[in-house]
């Protein structure tokens, strides 16, 4: 299959959106930019089309897709019950990086929901994404547009690296703004529960909802507790190299990373180091990259997946990374980084 690239870095191109919408209506696959990461879209109400997403990604069939909508009224066709909490959250955060889990209606095929009786819904804060959703019929199922197990794509080039020749179209809208997937909140069981942390954090949700909990599987070291979002149980975002996170007081972290990187290099290994704009000058072993600035946490989120892909291409065998407990997105950033590291954390 030839994958068409539609360039829209300057904003919406109506002709391109129309062509993309036609592909979706015919059951094809279109990757598109959102404010979180690039999504791999198909018509969410078409079982065969949704099935193609799992195949293109190599995604396990029990890992449900998020249904993207562009207009609030469209939620009523796909959700059986809309609790008041959903309206409050939509008022506060939609369009935006928040996904809500609701009871699904019969309009949504089980293929889209990975066999579950609930459906994940989000309205993205991205003009191209919403124009595409409308052009494609209003309901676009879209997980991240990477091959399963690879870091999520934050540029059209990342998508092409994984999906060229496998999907119908990639819309290039420039780099994703936030760089990490949406916050997921389950509204189907009394107290709302955060199933996946993201840009919209617990405190922000708490201000709107009052009571809010976090899925125990996210905050516990006990990995026998099953996460409620099926996707969270997989070792996502895995770089090819062994990744170690070093956590502790700043000076000690830098010293430990230099020491371990030096030892690894002595043994003949190719080493990568993930620092920040503030710490770059302190590292003197291996290939050193800045993930962003500690003064701007979005810059860190934005480059997290990209930096893991860059180190993959450089074929390093080990990566040592600082840890990033930033004020708003710290929980989300560390959730993704710890998964990428397969929980290998060195405390100093
Ligand atoms: P992705 O868009 O690639 O980040 O994947 C979608 C995420 O949403 C995965 O972690 C899924 O497990 C989660 N998800 C989608 N639908 C549901 C649902 N009905 N209940 C719980 N989690 C869901
Ligand atoms: Mg994903």
């Amino acid at each position: 299959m030839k994958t068409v690239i539609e360039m829209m870095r300057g904003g919406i191109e109506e002709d391109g959106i129309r062509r993309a919408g036609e592909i979706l209506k015919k059951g094809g696959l279109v990757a598109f930019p959102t404010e979180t990461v690039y999504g791999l879209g198909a018509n969410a109400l078409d079982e065969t089309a949704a099935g193609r997403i799992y195949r293109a990604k190599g995604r396990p069939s029990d890992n449900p897709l998020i249904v993207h909508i562009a207009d609030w009224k469209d939620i009523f066709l796909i959700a059986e019950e809309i609790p008041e909490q959903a309206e409050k959250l939509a008022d506060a955060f939609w369009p935006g990086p928040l996904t809500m889990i609701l009871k699904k209606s019969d309009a949504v095929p089980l293929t889209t929901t990975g066999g579950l009786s609930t459906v994940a819904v989000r309205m993205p804060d991205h003009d191209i994404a919403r124009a595409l959703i409308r052009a494609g019929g209003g309901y676009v199922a879209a997980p991240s547009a990477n091959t399963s197990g690879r870091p999520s794509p934050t540029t059209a080039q990342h998508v092409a690296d994984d999906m060229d020749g496998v999907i119908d179209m990639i819309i290039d809208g420039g780099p994703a703004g936030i760089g990490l997937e949406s916050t997921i909140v389950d509204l189907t069981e009394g107290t709302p529960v955060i199933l996946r942390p993201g840009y919209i954090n617990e405190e922000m949700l708490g201000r709107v909802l009052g009571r809010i909990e976090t899925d125990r599987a996210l905050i516990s070291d006990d990995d026998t507790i099953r996460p409620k979002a099926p996707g969270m149980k997989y070792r996502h975002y895995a770089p090819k190299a062994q990744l170690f996170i070093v956590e502790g007081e700043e000076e000690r972290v830098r010293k430990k990373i230099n020491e371990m990187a030096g030892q690894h290099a002595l043994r003949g290994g190719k080493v990568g180091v993930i620092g920040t704009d503030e710490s770059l000058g302190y590292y003197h072993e291996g290939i050193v990259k800045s993930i962003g600035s500690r003064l701007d946490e979005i810059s860190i989120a934005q480059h997290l997946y990209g930096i893991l892909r860059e180190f993959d291409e450089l074929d390093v065998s080990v990566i040592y990374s600082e840890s990033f407990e930033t004020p708003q997105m710290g929980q989300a950033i560390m959730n993704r980084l710890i998964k990428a590291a397969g929980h290998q954390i060195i405390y100093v």
Side-chain angles (χ1 to χ4, degrees), residues 192-265:
V193 186
I194 298 174
L195 305 189
R196 177 172 74 184
Y199 175 84
I200 296 174
N201 66 20
E202 185 167 358
E203 192 198 325
M204 293 158 80
L205 293 166
R207 261 184 259 139
V208 174
L209 295 174
R211 241 171 95 77
I212 175 103
E213 285 170 6
T214 296
D215 186 6
R216 274 181 54 225
L218 294 185
I219 36 190
S220 166
D221 284 338
D222 178 358
D223 56 14
T224 60
I225 304 177
R226 218 181 141 86
K228 287 186 177 157
M232 299 297 279
K233 72 174 179 273
Y234 295 105
R235 186 182 167 226
H236 268 188
Y237 326 125
K240 287 182 206 153
Q242 285 249 58
L243 169 61
F244 293 92
I245 301 166
V246 184
E247 204 173 302
E249 188 272 322
E250 199 174 88
E251 280 294 312
R252 293 161 71 114
V253 167
R254 293 172 183 176
K255 209 167 141 238
K256 184 71 181 174
I257 288 180
N258 270 331
E259 187 187 301
M260 287 188 303
Q263 281 165 4
H264 193 75

Side-chain angles (χ1 to χ4, degrees), residues 37 57 59 62-66 68 99 101-102 112-113 116-121 142-146 152 181-182 184 186 195-196 228-232 236-237:
V37 301
K57 284 178 59 86
R59 182 178 177 101
D62 69 346
N63 189 2
L65 313 175
I66 294 173
H68 292 69
T99 296
I101 309 293
L102 302 167
T112 298
T113 63
L116 298 177
S117 59
T118 55
V119 61
V121 192
S144 51
N146 52 295
S152 297
E181 303 86 343
S182 57
I184 302 181
D186 185 354
L195 305 189
R196 177 172 74 184
K228 287 186 177 157
M232 299 297 279
H236 268 188
Y237 326 125

Side-chain angles (χ1 to χ4, degrees), residues 82-230:
I82 319 276
E84 198 191 334
Q85 295 152 331
E87 281 181 53
K88 283 190 183 163
L89 288 177
D91 273 348
F93 301 116
W94 276 5
L98 179 71
T99 296
M100 302 188 220
I101 309 293
L102 302 167
K103 297 220 165 69
K104 90 171 188 70
S105 75
D106 291 341
V108 188
L110 287 168
T111 309
T112 298
T113 63
L116 298 177
S117 59
T118 55
V119 61
V121 192
R122 174 167 115 81
M123 187 191 292
D125 185 14
H126 198 291
D127 290 345
I128 295 174
R130 287 199 309 278
L132 172 73
I133 294 163
R134 292 190 183 110
Y139 302 91
V140 174
S144 51
N146 52 295
T147 302
S148 262
R150 294 263 289 151
S152 297
T154 50
T155 66
Q157 185 58 51
H158 294 159
V159 179
D161 290 345
D162 286 10
M163 293 292 161
D164 189 33
V166 179
I167 63 177
D168 300 282
M169 182 185 278
I170 299 170
I171 300 178
D172 183 344
I178 294 172
L180 297 184
E181 303 86 343
S182 57
T183 307
I184 302 181
V185 180
D186 185 354
L187 297 178
T188 62
E189 297 185 62
T191 306
V193 186
I194 298 174
L195 305 189
R196 177 172 74 184
Y199 175 84
I200 296 174
N201 66 20
E202 185 167 358
E203 192 198 325
M204 293 158 80
L205 293 166
R207 261 184 259 139
V208 174
L209 295 174
R211 241 171 95 77
I212 175 103
E213 285 170 6
T214 296
D215 186 6
R216 274 181 54 225
L218 294 185
I219 36 190
S220 166
D221 284 338
D222 178 358
D223 56 14
T224 60
I225 304 177
R226 218 181 141 86
K228 287 186 177 157

